[in-house]
Amino acid sequence: MATTSDSRSLATLLATGRLAIGIATSAFPELGARSWLGEHGRGPAGRVLGRALGARDLALAIGALTAREDDAQFRRWVRLGAFADAADAFATVLNWRSLPRASRIGVFTVAAGAAALGAVLGQAER
């Protein structure tokens, strides 16, 4: 069984990964959108979506990482990140057939895994 310290370390790692994704997607928004939508993520629409997703991940990561000293707030930010990841997984399932095979499998796997991990870690220190 994971200790509270292990849970905090994993939650911090999850938030740091979200920070990296947010920075990368903000810097290269079309690449971020194409990784999910395939060719539909090209052009202005892909850049808008990529920047919006990047900003969302940056906000969630910064919120979690700056709240690390307050256990309740840190858990709340981790759970909010899990909610966003679950929404990404759900949106992928809802549009499964219209997404490229590799994209839908990759995004669903990462989003669902991060949602599950965040949900568990968001409760771990109670």
Side-chain angles (χ1 to χ4, degrees):
M1 184 162 182
T3 66
T4 299
S5 177
D6 293 339
S7 296
R8 272 186 89 66
S9 294
L10 280 173
T12 299
L13 184 62
L14 187 62
T16 302
R18 184 180 303 283
L19 181 68
I21 289 169
I23 290 169
T25 304
S26 295
F28 305 100
E30 196 172 305
L31 181 62
R34 283 186 13 236
S35 70
W36 193 359
L37 306 175
E39 293 306 308
H40 299 294
R42 285 196 180 278
R47 289 188 294 276
V48 168
L49 177 64
R51 284 191 181 102
L53 290 172
R56 178 197 73 177
D57 279 338
L58 284 171
L60 290 167
I62 291 167
L65 293 171
T66 58
R68 287 192 72 243
E69 299 303 316
D70 181 328
D71 289 340
Q73 288 298 317
F74 183 56
R75 285 193 312 272
R76 181 172 292 122
W77 280 103
V78 170
R79 289 192 306 268
L80 287 169
F83 178 81
D85 293 329
D88 292 347
F90 186 63
T92 300
V93 169
L94 288 177
N95 296 283
W96 192 260
R97 291 179 188 231
S98 63
L99 297 171
R101 186 177 199 281
S103 298
R104 67 187 180 208
I105 292 170
V107 169
F108 177 79
T109 301
V110 170
L117 182 59
V120 168
L121 295 173
Q123 299 299 320
E125 296 178 31
R126 285 193 162 176

